[in-house]
Amino acid sequence: GENVEQHPSTLSVQEGDSAVIKCTYSDSASNYFPWYKQELGKRPQLIIDIRSNVGEKKDQRIAVTLNKTAKHFSLHITETQPEDSAVYFCAASIDTDKLIFGTGTRLQVFP
Amino acid sequence: SAVISQKPSRDICQRGTSLTIQCQVDSQVTMMFWYRQQPGQSLTLIATANQGSEATYESGFVIDKFPISRPNLTFSTLTVSNMSPEDSSIYLCSVEAGQGASRYFGPGTRLLVL
């Protein structure tokens, strides 16, 4: 079955700097790759997702890149702000099948 | 996106009892997924619930412990049976919705078993 690895487990950046979180997946048939932000006590919030027919997707300060050959995808946050501090999860699935999650990255943005 | 609600939002239960968690979606969805998130951990899929058929359980989860109902395309329940303190977790339902068929999560049910 699918296995998703995520790193780093913790990431500290200065406000205004960029943050990059990387994930690798094992099943080459996976074609859906969402990223979630989870603040303490809240639900995982979908912030961006990408399908395997595109290599990159951007939404304001957030971008996701996908390398199907290497089976890895990354989340890029530019101009980080303190409110970006949260736990971020990557996930992968085949079509509408079950989503398998990475282990999470705790991002801290210091003012 | 989809508006997903769960009941209860939290509960404290005694060991040996059962709790049924409800998940309601504001639109019809084919599949509903139930996840568990233990404290400080990632999300683990418990089962996939399709309307009109039995739920499909992941390795480590069984129907006797986590029976699921899916009576229609907007509603599902997950029961945590014969609870023990190890069942203390957040339980979340998830659906695929929207034009982009993205995955969204409900607010979760925070369960503490004493």
Side-chain angles (χ1 to χ4, degrees):
Chain A
E2 177 65 277
N3 181 51
V4 178
E5 295 187 357
Q6 181 173 349
H7 59 94
S9 57
T10 61
L11 179 59
S12 297
V13 300
Q14 205 71 34
E15 181 178 3
D17 288 349
S18 295
V20 180
I21 303 170
K22 299 182 179 181
C23 289
T24 60
Y25 59 99
S26 61
D27 193 336
S28 57
S30 290
N31 58 6
Y32 177 62
F33 308 93
W35 285 89
Y36 295 88
K37 174 185 180 182
Q38 188 174 34
E39 296 174 282
L40 191 62
K42 298 193 174 179
R43 77 180 79 189
Q45 175 195 357
L46 178 68
I47 56 172
I48 195 167
D49 55 6
I50 192 170
R51 296 193 182 270
S52 58
N53 56 345
V54 297
E56 183 176 0
K57 184 176 178 181
K58 281 185 180 179
D59 183 4
Q60 300 183 335
R61 296 186 297 110
I62 293 173
V64 57
T65 58
L66 171 65
N67 183 326
K68 287 186 290 185
T69 304
K71 290 190 283 188
H72 67 69
F73 57 112
S74 300
L75 177 71
H76 304 253
I77 306 174
T78 59
E79 300 172 27
T80 53
Q81 302 166 3
E83 48 267 37
D84 293 329
S85 297
V87 178
Y88 290 80
F89 292 100
C90 64
S93 74
I94 303 170
D95 292 329
T96 56
D97 206 347
K98 52 192 179 184
L99 265 180
I100 303 301
F101 280 79
T103 48
T105 297
R106 183 172 300 278
L107 173 65
Q108 284 187 300
V109 180
F110 292 99
Chain B
S1 64
V3 177
I4 309 169
S5 60
Q6 285 185 235
K7 288 181 183 179
S9 58
R10 60 179 68 236
D11 207 342
I12 302 173
C13 301
Q14 296 297 319
R15 69 172 66 210
T17 63
S18 297
L19 177 72
T20 295
I21 301 167
Q22 299 178 7
C23 179
Q24 179 78 50
V25 191
D26 68 341
S27 58
Q28 294 185 339
V29 295
T30 305
M31 287 191 283
M32 296 178 80
F33 304 87
W34 286 99
Y35 283 82
R36 181 175 74 182
Q37 187 175 28
Q38 295 178 304
Q41 302 296 311
S42 184
L43 290 86
T44 301
L45 181 64
I46 298 171
T48 302
N50 291 330
Q51 195 252 343
S53 63
E54 283 206 6
T56 304
Y57 290 82
E58 297 301 305
S59 176
F61 298 97
V62 295
I63 187 171
D64 289 346
K65 176 67 176 178
F66 297 101
I68 286 171
S69 78
R70 183 79 200 275
N72 58 53
L73 292 174
T74 63
F75 186 80
S76 178
T77 68
L78 169 77
T79 299
V80 186
S81 303
N82 188 25
M83 289 184 285
S84 67
E86 292 71 38
D87 294 320
S88 298
S89 283
I90 300 172
Y91 293 86
L92 302 114
C93 65
S94 174
V95 304
E96 179 181 291
Q99 257 189 329
S102 297
R103 295 287 187 85
Y104 299 95
F105 281 84
T109 295
R110 287 155 183 77
L111 172 61
L112 177 63
V113 184
L114 301 177

